[in-house]
Amino acid sequence: MENIHEQLKALLDPSAVVEAPSISAVGNWLGHPYNSPLVLRPTTTEEVAAILRLCNQHRQAVVVHGGLSGMVGGTSSAGDEICLSLERMQKAVSIDKLGRTMTVESGVHLQEVQEAAAAEGLFFALDLGARGSATIGGNIATNAGGNQVIRYGMAREQVLGLEVVLADGTILSSMNHLLKNNAGYDLKHLFIGSEGTLGIVTKAVLRLRPAMPARNTALVATDQFDKLPRLLSHIESALGGKLSAFEAIWDNYYQLATQGPHLGAPPLAQRHPYYALIESTGSDSEAEAATFLAALESALNAGLIDDAVLAKSAKEQDALWAIRDNIDSLAAIAPVIIFDVGLPIGAMEAYIKQIEAELKSQLGLTQLAVFGHLGDSNLHIVVGTETEDIDVYHRVEEVLYAPLQALGGSISAEHGIGLEKKRYLHYSRNAEEIATMRMLKKTFDPNNILNPGKVVDL
Ligand SMILES: Cc1cc2nc3c(=O)[nH]c(=O)nc-3n(C[C@H](O)[C@H](O)[C@H](O)COP(=O)(O)OP(=O)(O)OC[C@H]3O[C@@H](n4cnc5c(N)ncnc54)[C@H](O)[C@@H]3O)c2cc1C
């Protein structure tokens, strides 16, 4: 092994090499450890290619790192796996205003992409709570979702072209800039959402849209779950395509997220069973504010909401989003498992009741917090486990995942599979789908060096 390490180090500037033990105790946001003997931080695509060529020859496993904000252990490493971090590949942000595209290296943070687009009067339509630390490469590798999927789709919809380094070091440049291009297979889609198992994303051509300076945001409360999907339809029709977010919050999460002296009084009382954060974006501030208000008023008159607070400034809008994004408040029920399930909206209420009852009867667990992207059929369910015992974790996971199969649901609506959900993949994908995933993995990475053991086993 020493030999390959020395050869890898010789490919790079010393500043690109971090050796253990200095990083052995470092973990990512969720504390997934990486216990790697070597972290390589290349600055060019050619360096990534040279590293993979050598690793492929030596059957050296490589774990790919972006911003380390992933939620499913996709960047965890063990044994002699080396890590390849894209964090220094942050150059070459160029914007084509006319074609509405941005070309970036994959280590650029999502927030920097958003800000660079805004500086040119344009808009990048991907947003999520970890925008400051997540990289575009990680967003693409996980096909990230986030807060605006209901209007603009997931990361896949924001990508026009990719440059990817394959496991054998081949540089696959597929830097398409066109909105429509049906010249043969659209190869980028194989890598988007493949969680670093089929290739390493080094550059991307991103789709931009016109800026949407008019933003209207409200937090509303309602007493019954079945009013939430009705409210969603009502608001969607009333806003005529301008709805950009519809985030549901159960009372259990609202109470945690609005608790604590530093947060002040909650914008709405904590007594309501359900809340929704609603946002529209557009270009005409005055007209859209009036439409938004009228939509809320008609929802109130129709009995779909019991109370509402309308943000009157950007500061107030950010304060409402801060409630939705206050996942630090989950520390109050830690240790927790954060689930990311997808299921039809019509099945959500019964599903939550079922898992609540089973967690209590089978494991004596009662701490739950629920919120999520209701408009995308995606809920985040947080279960306080009272212990870090892995057997308890697995029992909790079975309770949540097993019912999804019959509902046509998904064990992962947006975070991916990584290491943590691999054992449950069969609840969401049939045997033929899993066999085809294996076939793709064997074709692209026959020596199984890229993020081995993640997503599917060979
Ligand atoms: C507070 C918070 C809020 C979040 N909200 C959302 C949300 O709303 N929606 C959502 O989808 N996710 C969300 N996430 C999860 C996470 O931010 C996303 O999965 C994000 O896309 C990961 O980006 P990253 O750069 O941090 O990737 P990492 O965590 O570094 O890596 C994630 C996976 O992608 C692979 N990878 C990383 N970079 C590359 C690359 N260049 N080429 C190939 N493979 C690569 C890794 O090997 C790993 O398997 C949230 C996380 C946090 C902490």
Side-chain angles (χ1 to χ4, degrees):
M1 271 308 139
E2 262 181 37
N3 190 21
I4 166 96
H5 287 183
E6 293 310 314
Q7 290 182 55
L8 285 166
K9 281 157 61 181
L11 294 173
L12 302 165
D13 182 86
S15 65
V17 178
V18 184
E19 289 186 83
S22 55
I23 51 97
S24 61
V26 178
N28 64 12
W29 184 82
L30 285 178
H32 297 123
Y34 58 97
N35 299 307
S36 176
L38 196 63
V39 179
L40 302 177
R41 300 155 69 233
T43 51
T44 66
T45 300
E46 289 67 30
E47 285 179 351
V48 175
I51 293 168
L52 288 195
R53 212 171 294 126
L54 196 59
C55 288
N56 196 44
Q57 281 163 13
H58 290 261
R59 311 288 192 264
Q60 168 65 55
V62 180
V63 176
V64 191
H65 283 187
L68 301 177
S69 69
M71 310 282 273
V72 291
T75 51
S76 294
S77 54
D80 65 358
E81 293 177 338
I82 66 155
C83 297
L84 190 156
S85 168
L86 282 301
E87 69 186 320
R88 298 206 307 168
M89 293 199 49
Q90 296 210 345
K91 294 184 298 292
V93 179
S94 71
I95 295 185
D96 171 2
K97 280 185 84 167
L98 197 62
R100 288 203 199 124
T101 64
M102 185 189 296
T103 303
V104 291
E105 289 191 330
S106 62
V108 176
H109 292 117
L110 171 59
Q111 190 169 342
E112 291 163 37
V113 169
Q114 294 171 337
E115 288 170 358
E120 296 293 339
L122 294 165
F123 168 61
F124 183 57
L126 184 72
D127 189 37
L128 43 90
R131 62 187 75 77
S133 48
T135 61
I136 278 295
N139 295 155
I140 292 170
T142 57
N143 186 26
N147 301 333
Q148 299 172 144
V149 173
I150 193 170
R151 175 123 166 228
Y152 301 105
M154 300 180 76
R156 188 181 298 284
E157 266 69 52
Q158 322 311 328
V159 179
L160 297 174
L162 282 186
E163 178 188 82
V164 179
V165 181
L166 303 182
D168 66 358
T170 301
I171 298 173
L172 179 66
S173 179
S174 189
M175 296 288 277
N176 169 65
H177 281 67
L178 304 175
L179 202 52
K180 294 165 83 171
N181 187 346
N182 274 348
Y185 302 149
D186 197 344
L187 297 173
K188 66 176 180 285
H189 288 301
L190 287 169
F191 302 99
I192 300 172
S194 69
E195 300 183 49
T197 60
L198 300 182
I200 298 184
V201 177
T202 42
K203 284 195 188 99
V205 183
L206 306 174
R207 179 181 179 186
L208 303 179
R209 296 160 203 263
M212 297 282 168
R215 184 160 73 114
N216 292 286
T217 314
L219 181 70
V220 305
T222 190
D223 59 343
Q224 290 167 29
F225 176 82
D226 70 354
K227 290 186 182 171
L228 286 176
R230 285 161 55 205
L231 177 64
L232 172 60
S233 305
H234 178 96
I235 295 279
E236 262 183 325
S237 321
L239 294 181
K242 299 282 170 67
L243 181 68
S244 53
F246 190 96
E247 299 286 307
I249 303 172
W250 267 241
D251 56 351
N252 45 27
Y253 181 62
Y254 187 77
Q255 281 157 21
L256 288 175
T258 55
Q259 196 151 278
H262 60 293
L263 293 174
L268 292 176
Q270 291 181 332
R271 65 186 151 77
H272 303 280
Y274 302 98
Y275 301 81
L277 183 60
I278 303 171
E279 189 160 275
S280 77
T281 47
S283 51
D284 183 339
S285 307
E286 219 170 287
E288 273 146 36
T291 312
F292 192 73
L293 188 61
L296 289 182
E297 277 172 359
S298 57
L300 202 63
N301 292 337
L304 294 175
I305 52 183
D306 296 331
D307 202 357
V309 58
L310 185 65
K312 291 182 286 307
S313 63
K315 198 173 161 205
E316 287 186 11
Q317 290 172 322
D318 293 346
L320 293 184
W321 274 103
I323 296 173
R324 158 64 180 77
D325 289 341
N326 188 7
I327 58 171
D328 287 348
S329 66
L330 297 170
I333 57 167
V336 295
I337 310 180
I338 302 180
F339 292 90
D340 163 43
V341 298
L343 72 164
I345 296 180
M348 283 180 182
E349 189 180 19
Y351 170 78
I352 297 288
K353 282 195 176 131
Q354 176 183 343
I355 61 158
E356 240 171 348
E358 289 182 10
L359 287 171
K360 192 169 178 189
S361 64
Q362 293 179 26
L363 291 131
L365 298 177
T366 54
Q367 298 270 34
L368 221 68
V370 185
F371 61 101
H373 316 292
L374 187 96
D376 318 335
S377 303
N378 173 200
L379 289 183
H380 297 306
I381 302 168
V382 185
V383 180
T385 55
E386 294 175 12
T387 166
E388 292 183 0
D389 182 338
I390 195 71
D391 292 332
V392 174
Y393 277 28
H394 289 330
R395 288 177 66 194
V396 172
E397 286 163 352
E398 272 299 332
V399 168
L400 271 91
Y401 290 142
L404 292 172
Q405 193 169 23
L407 297 172
S410 173
I411 61 167
S412 174
E414 57 180 14
H415 293 161
I417 296 301
L419 273 184
E420 293 194 352
K421 299 184 191 164
K422 193 174 58 172
R423 60 195 278 143
Y424 307 104
L425 189 58
H426 63 281
Y427 284 134
S428 288
R429 300 292 188 195
N430 61 42
E432 292 74 23
E433 287 177 300
I434 294 173
T436 306
M437 288 184 201
R438 288 202 176 104
M439 185 184 77
L440 280 171
K441 173 69 177 166
K442 282 182 187 154
T443 304
F444 278 92
D445 182 15
N447 294 323
N448 195 21
I449 63 156
L450 282 176
N451 277 2
K454 315 273 165 62
V455 186
V456 279
D457 280 323
L458 290 187

